[in-house]
């Protein structure tokens, strides 16, 4: 099977959730099929990145848009300039005539069995009509994230901005889902949302995975301190909202009950709102060489998300490492988790704090959740997920199974 896979932004280094998912699935496909990875990114040409990408995916096509990264003030002006557009800003900023021309040429010059648009920011540069079978890979339902932003935002100005983006994203996302022949969702929840736009038969769920070669329980784990941990990119608004909510509304009760407890926020690029949360009991690490090394030290991992979509790779990674988790329902949405068995779900500050305290104080209870979490994660190794993804592409393209 000959596959064209198009993605916006640099894939390497593999850091955020979307890139982790793309990397492992694309690597599986490339090991068994003829995959051309089409990558485009902003800024000047980065020869080192392109060479590294070709080493991972021989024959990869890389395109530099030459767009320069702008400061916040210029981004604000860019947003105002694009405000009249029907396409939401989160997508329109990835639109590029250079990329569109290169992608169209690639599709016309080579013979592919199927084209994969890796999320909405890649879809914006595909031709208006397809001459080959096409698949849209939806890492989440983006309009749902914007809807939740509107519901949780306290600032009236940001609420208005989020409302405008939500309306635009809802219309645009529905249009893209209809445009592609088939859609791959990462959860049944996302599939149900998109089924309002197209025949559900055109949507297949391929769940998220975990790298079990890396994330696995320690053979002889050392005793842990009362360390509570959150892991995630700290320049992503849902994560920022999550740690603010936890520090302001949940952590005070935990700290009062267990004064020696500490909360550690692990993740790259912490914005100023996150850095301001640092205190005697709250640590903000920024980028770390190894997330796994920090996970090993945690007693409890928390996922207090109130906004978000798709699936949370960090939950399966923590489970794979054999860690007890407390999450909001939204935080674990789309994952095959079970409250009271392999995770604790809590949606208000009081119950969230109570759950964390129970796991901190009761080592036997915590060990039970750790064992169940690791057992669940073992079912979602990336090669199994890659195989399922390949089966969907084969069905859509009509190519014989490998």
């Amino acid at each position: 099977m000959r596959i064209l896979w198009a993605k916006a932004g640099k894939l390497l280094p593999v850091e955020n959730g979307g890139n982790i998912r793309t990397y492992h699935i694309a690597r599986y496909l490339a090991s068994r099929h003829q995959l051309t990875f089409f990558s485009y990114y902003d800024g000047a040409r980065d020869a080192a990145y392109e060479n590294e990408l070709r080493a991972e995916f021989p024959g990869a096509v890389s395109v530099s848009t030459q767009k320069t990264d702008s400061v916040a003030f210029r981004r604000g002006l860019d947003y105002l300039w694009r405000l009249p557009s029907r396409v939401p800003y989160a997508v329109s900023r990835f639109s590029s005539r250079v990329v569109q021309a290169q992608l169209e040429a690639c599709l016309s010059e080579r013979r592919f069995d199927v084209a994969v648009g890796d999320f909405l920011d890649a879809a914006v540069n595909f031709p208006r009509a397809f001459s080959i079978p096409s698949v849209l890979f939806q890492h989440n339902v983006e309009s749902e994230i914007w809807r939740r932003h509107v519901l949780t935002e306290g600032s009236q100005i940001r609420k208005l901005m989020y409302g405008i983006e939500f309306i635009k994203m809802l219309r645009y996302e529905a249009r893209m889902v209809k445009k592609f022949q088939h859609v791959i969702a990462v959860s049944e929840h996302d599939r149900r949302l998109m089924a309002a736009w197209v025949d559900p038969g055109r949507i297949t769920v391929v769940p998220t995975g975990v790298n079990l070669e890396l994330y696995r329980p320690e053979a002889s784990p050392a005793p842990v301190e009362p360390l509570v941990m959150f892991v995630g990119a700290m320049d992503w608004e849902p994560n920022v909202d999550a740690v603010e909510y936890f520090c302001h509304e949940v952590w005070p009760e935990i700290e009062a009950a267990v004064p020696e407890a500490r909360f550690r926020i692990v993740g790259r690029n912490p914005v100023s709102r996150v850095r301001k949360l640092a205190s005697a009991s709250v640590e903000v690490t920024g980028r770390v060489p190894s997330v796994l090394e920090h996970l090993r030290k945690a007693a409890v991992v928390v996922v207090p998300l109130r906004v978000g979509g798709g699936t949370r790779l960090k939950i399966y990674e923590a489970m794979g490492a054999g860690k007890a988790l407390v999450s909001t329902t939204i935080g674990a949405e789309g994952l095959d988790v079970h409250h009271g068995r392999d995770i604790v779900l809590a949606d208000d500050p009081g119950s969230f704090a109570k759950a964390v305290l129970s796991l901190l104080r009761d080592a036997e209870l915590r060990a039970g959740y750790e064992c169940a979490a690791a057992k669940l994660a073992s079912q979602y190794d990336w090669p199994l997920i890659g195989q399922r993804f390949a089966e969907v592409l084969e069905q859509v393209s009509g190519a014989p199974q490998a």
Side-chain angles (χ1 to χ4, degrees), residues 98-109:
V98 173
V99 172
Q100 290 164 9
Q102 292 271 9
L103 186 55
E104 192 160 2
C106 194
L107 284 166
S108 62
E109 293 169 4

Side-chain angles (χ1 to χ4, degrees), residues 1-3 28-34 113 386-395 397-402:
M1 182 169 53
R2 295 156 298 188
I3 307 164
Y28 177 89
L29 294 174
S31 71
R32 289 159 175 80
H33 301 276
Q34 298 177 37
D113 296 305
Q387 180 181 351
R388 178 66 183 125
F389 203 104
E391 290 169 356
V392 176
L393 296 187
E394 287 162 349
Q395 291 168 7
S397 68
Q401 294 192 358

Side-chain angles (χ1 to χ4, degrees), residues 134-203:
S134 59
V135 173
L136 177 63
F137 185 17
Q138 281 280 76
H139 293 260
N140 58 60
V141 179
E142 192 74 3
S143 55
E144 181 68 2
I145 295 179
W146 288 102
R147 185 186 71 82
R148 289 172 175 170
H149 274 312
V150 175
L151 294 176
T152 59
E153 180 54 53
S155 164
Q156 292 303 311
I157 294 177
R158 282 205 293 263
K159 185 184 285 288
L160 175 62
M161 182 189 73
Y162 291 156
I164 294 171
E165 288 298 300
F166 163 63
I167 293 171
K168 287 184 176 182
M169 185 63 75
L170 186 64
R171 294 170 178 168
Y172 174 80
E173 193 163 29
R175 192 162 67 250
M176 289 299 104
V177 167
K178 293 173 184 175
K179 173 180 176 177
F180 283 75
Q181 179 179 335
H182 202 82
V183 177
I184 291 180
V186 295
S187 72
E188 280 294 339
H189 176 266
D190 285 4
R191 182 179 182 272
R192 286 193 297 269
L193 291 174
M194 290 185 286
W197 303 328
V198 297
D199 176 1
R202 289 175 54 188
I203 309 170

